[in-house]
Every structure is written in C-alpha cells, then in structure tokens.
Amino acid sequence: MDLIKNALVNIKGHKLRVFMALIWIIIGITSVILISSIGNGLKEEVSKTVTNVGPNKTSIYFESENAYMNDYNIFLSPFTYSDIEELSFIDGVEKIGPTNSGIDESSIYSFDASFDKKTTYIDLSPLKEDSNTNTLYGRSFSLDDEDRNVIMITMQNATDLFNSPEDAIGKGITINGYIFEVIGVLDENYASDMYDTSYNYDEYYNMPTAYVPNKSFENLVKQYDYSTEIYGLDLVASKNYDVFEVANKVIERLYNLHPSIEGTYMTEDLSYLAESQMYELESMTSSINKVVILITFISLFVGGIGVMNVMYVSVMERQREIGIRRAIGAKPRAILIQFLVESICITILGGVLGIIVGLFATNYAANYIPFKAIPSVNSILFASIITILVGVIFGIVPAFKASRLDPIKAIYK
C-alpha cells in the first residue's frame, strides 16, 4: 500500500506531464470500449433478425414428375386455399400460408381503358411510398384516396382518351369494369423517378405507368385467372416443435388431399439463410476486431512511449532520493518494484479514464445508430489487462535503470 500511495503522490506532483502521457492510452481504451460495444450491438441486432428467419420456418413446394408440363394451372393444383385451411389445424402448425399470396407491387400490369367511345392501352402500377409522382394537371394522391377508385394517368393516356390533357381531370375512365376518376396527369419527365429501384422499367416500356391506390390495384389484378396461383406454402412451426417433423405431417396430409398427384412435395430448408447471415456477421465482427486491435496497438504504443518518457524523467529528477534509499539499505529490487508500481499506476489511471470515456462515448453514439450499443464485461476486462501490461512493458526499462544507479553517484549528482 505504501508503494501505491507514494506512486499516487508522485503522479499528483506532475499532473500535466502524466496527463499528456495518458492521452493516447485513453484514446486506445476508449476505442476498444466504443467499437466493441457497437460490434456487440450489431451482433445482437443481426441475431434477432436471424432468429426471425430462424429454425422454426420452412417452405413447402411441389416438384412435378413431368418437367415439361405445359398446362400451368395443372402445375399449380397441388396447393389450394382449402388445403391451407385444413393444414392450419395440424398439431405444431402455428402459421401456414401461400408463398406468393400477395400482389407483386414491383410489377406493371396492362389493361384496356375507355372513355366515351375512345379506348387506349394503359400500363398500371400500384402507388408506393417512394413513388415520386409529379403532375402537370390536376393533383397527386392524398390519404383520402386510399379507399377510392382514382387514377393518375400518363400524358399519352390523356391524349388518347380526351381532346386535351386538361379535359381528363374529373372524368371517369373504365378499366376492367371499374370506373376510375382521373385526378391527375403525370409529368413524363419525372417518370424514371417513379419506378422501383430494383428494375428499370423504362428500358422495357416506351411510356411510363399510370398509378392507382393499392386496394384498387389489387381489385383489378384479382380478376386475372392467375390471381389464385399458389406456388408453395410458407410454414411456421409452434414453439418447442421441430419444424421438419411438422412439415412432414403437412406433406403427408397434402398427399392425402391430392391422392392422384404426380410429383413430390418437398421442404426447403431456410436455416441456410441464418447460417449465411451468421457467417457474414462473424466475418464483419472479425474485421471490426482487427480494426480495434490496430487502433488499440497504435494508441497504446504511443501512450506507452509517453509513459516511458515520464518515468525516465522521474528517475532523473529523483536520483538523490534513490541514492539515499540505497545508502540506508534498500535493495535494487525494491527500487525496481517502486518505479514499476508507479508506471502501472499511471497506465491503470489512463485505463480507468479510458473506460469511463468509452462508456460515455458508447451512450452518446447510441443516439446516432439504429441499434443499441452493448458494452461487454470482456472488453472492460481486456482494457484493464492491457493497461497493466503497458505499464509493465514500458515501465520496466526506466525502473531497471533506477535500480542500477550507484548510490554514491546518485546522492552527489
């Protein structure tokens, strides 16, 4: 304890010098805490996503014996909506439904549109949140339009159906038996911004699409024969049930429901998605750890050099004290331990400050990232151990030099 007290007194007597040496240690430890906390938070977030994809989900699909079957409707007959209702009562089935049960909102559907005695060909898309609709005439969609049959048509549609585009506003055009009120005529110069970013539909269509609310779009598309197509089933098993055992029960029931079917019901293992995501996460975490190690090594090395310089100066300033201690019987080992403890105390102080700053930085950074940063005990322990090692490694040389001073020369120098 006396050694620690003496070390703290000496540190207190040279606060500015010690602080300048500690800056890089604080930076190194702060980076360890901050980056590892963000990495832990990211890992936790991805783990939750993987859990949602998780081992309790799978897909069931049908593979026909005749790979060249031309009748598309026969190909889809292995799954019906009545099947889904019956399969939902199987023990262990939490949720089951068509793999492709919704309308593809990235698609463009073509219809005949008419007004009075004029008819034109119209390409329709559902309005999406990121649709950038700019009107030359009329207005764009509002929240009140979601349950109404309203439409924004293209300049070409307006020209085909009306004497002039201005005349289209407020008129009703007929599409597949539904009457849609024209509320706007689109500016075709902004058409490319309206398309879904995953496809460039402008490469396939000579004119931009018209837009209707989602509900109206679904009503129109459902009139197609292929709106009842079921390509497969998505299965979610109940908690504590093995998903593949439940899937086998579902497949067995499907064979009973379709005894004359020619082909095989098969399950798709979705666990590979989880494995892929976990692999990517581990790869990313490994890269983050390498960056942390590099930053920490550079910072602690520079900080260690600073500590070594502080200890060298301390030895030079206290040569008389060292000589007197040696003259009254202190052994070289005691002198070495004294300066080594002082060096370790300096680096531990830097480590403690680094941990505190790192925790504050983590809490501050949490306001700017979409997930919670999670400090770990392991990173704090790592920071504590590394600071002690820095103190030992960079303090041993000055301490050894102090222990080897000649007491006579040290007193009179």
Side-chain angles (χ1 to χ4, degrees):
M1 290 299 296
D2 290 336
L3 288 175
I4 296 175
K5 288 180 181 179
N6 290 334
L8 294 177
V9 169
N10 289 322
I11 291 172
K12 187 176 180 181
H14 303 87
K15 292 188 286 289
L16 182 60
R17 182 196 301 169
V18 171
F19 177 74
M20 294 304 294
L22 292 182
I23 288 177
W24 284 101
I25 294 178
I26 293 172
I27 292 173
I29 300 304
T30 298
S31 65
V32 170
I33 301 298
L34 176 60
I35 300 178
S36 63
S37 298
I38 293 175
N40 291 335
L42 179 61
K43 186 175 182 179
E44 182 71 17
E45 190 71 17
V46 174
S47 296
K48 288 179 182 178
T49 304
V50 170
T51 301
N52 290 334
V53 173
N56 67 327
K57 296 183 179 181
T58 189
S59 293
I60 298 172
Y61 61 97
F62 180 77
E63 189 172 296
S64 174
E65 290 182 358
N66 185 359
Y68 301 97
M69 184 179 293
N70 293 321
D71 190 339
Y72 201 62
N73 290 321
I74 293 177
F75 175 76
L76 297 172
S77 63
F79 303 104
T80 65
Y81 284 96
S82 59
D83 292 344
I84 295 173
E85 184 176 355
E86 185 165 343
L87 295 172
S88 63
F89 293 104
I90 294 178
D91 185 37
V93 173
E94 180 177 318
K95 186 178 179 181
I96 190 167
T99 299
N100 190 25
S101 58
I103 302 299
D104 184 3
E105 295 189 357
S106 66
S107 297
I108 295 175
Y109 290 76
S110 298
F111 301 90
D112 287 327
S114 61
F115 175 77
D116 199 6
K117 295 181 180 180
K118 297 180 180 179
T119 302
T120 187
Y121 203 58
I122 189 168
D123 291 326
L124 271 182
S125 289
L127 183 71
K128 299 181 285 293
E129 291 183 3
D130 59 348
S131 297
N132 182 14
T133 55
N134 188 70
T135 56
L136 279 178
Y137 306 101
R139 64 176 177 84
S140 186
F141 290 103
S142 66
L143 293 175
D144 295 332
D145 294 328
E146 181 61 32
D147 296 319
R148 299 176 57 208
N149 282 349
V150 292
I151 187 171
M152 295 178 66
I153 60 175
T154 66
M155 182 67 73
Q156 184 64 49
N157 298 148
T159 304
D160 291 342
L161 294 174
F162 304 94
N163 295 328
S164 65
E166 300 97 314
D167 295 337
I169 307 303
K171 300 296 193 302
I173 63 174
T174 303
I175 303 175
N176 268 29
Y178 289 89
I179 297 177
F180 287 83
E181 178 189 349
V182 179
I183 61 170
V185 178
L186 293 167
D187 183 356
E188 296 184 5
N189 291 329
Y190 288 82
S192 60
D193 294 331
M194 301 176 198
Y195 300 128
D196 188 88
T197 55
S198 59
Y199 294 96
N200 184 7
Y201 287 109
D202 200 39
E203 293 180 4
Y204 304 99
Y205 295 88
N206 294 324
M207 62 180 183
T209 65
Y211 281 88
V212 295
N214 288 292
K215 290 183 180 179
S216 299
F217 183 78
E218 290 176 3
N219 290 333
L220 284 172
V221 175
K222 283 179 181 177
Q223 296 187 26
Y224 281 88
D225 290 336
Y226 50 73
S227 62
T228 58
E229 295 173 0
I230 302 179
Y231 297 93
L233 300 177
D234 286 337
L235 169 66
V236 179
S238 301
K239 190 176 181 180
N240 299 326
Y241 280 84
D242 182 88
V243 64
F244 293 107
E245 290 183 4
V246 176
N248 288 333
K249 293 179 183 178
V250 171
I251 289 174
E252 185 178 346
R253 183 68 59 86
L254 284 169
Y255 279 122
N256 292 334
L257 293 171
H258 304 275
S260 59
I261 198 75
E262 294 182 359
T264 307
Y265 290 101
M266 306 178 72
T267 60
E268 182 179 5
D269 186 4
L270 298 182
S271 62
Y272 73 93
L273 293 175
E275 292 175 359
S276 175
Q277 288 182 343
M278 287 305 297
Y279 175 78
E280 292 178 4
L281 175 62
E282 289 173 0
S283 177
M284 183 167 52
T285 304
S286 176
S287 299
I288 291 174
N289 289 337
K290 290 177 182 178
V291 173
V292 172
I293 291 172
L294 180 62
I295 295 173
T296 304
F297 176 79
I298 295 173
S299 301
L300 292 180
F301 180 78
V302 175
I305 296 296
V307 171
M308 183 184 289
N309 290 334
V310 168
M311 295 309 300
Y312 266 124
V313 173
S314 181
V315 170
M316 296 298 293
E317 290 177 345
R318 295 158 61 188
Q319 286 191 56
R320 186 176 177 81
E321 174 194 331
I322 296 169
I324 293 173
R325 287 196 61 195
R326 287 293 309 278
I328 61 176
K331 295 182 179 180
R333 182 183 177 189
I335 303 298
L336 184 142
I337 293 175
Q338 176 189 350
F339 282 90
L340 198 58
V341 168
E342 187 172 327
S343 173
I344 293 172
C345 285
I346 292 174
T347 54
I348 287 178
L349 178 61
V352 171
L353 291 175
I355 291 171
I356 294 172
V357 173
L359 292 175
F360 274 108
T362 298
N363 188 54
Y364 181 76
N367 298 320
Y368 299 94
I369 55 178
F371 53 85
K372 183 180 179 182
I374 305 174
S376 67
V377 177
N378 289 338
S379 62
I380 294 175
L381 287 175
F382 173 76
S384 302
I385 293 171
I386 203 70
T387 53
I388 294 173
L389 289 176
V390 169
V392 172
I393 293 171
F394 289 91
I396 190 68
V397 176
F400 183 78
K401 180 181 179 180
S403 69
R404 293 300 174 182
L405 286 176
D406 182 274
I408 305 298
K409 292 182 180 180
I411 292 174
Y412 290 103
K413 188 171 183 179

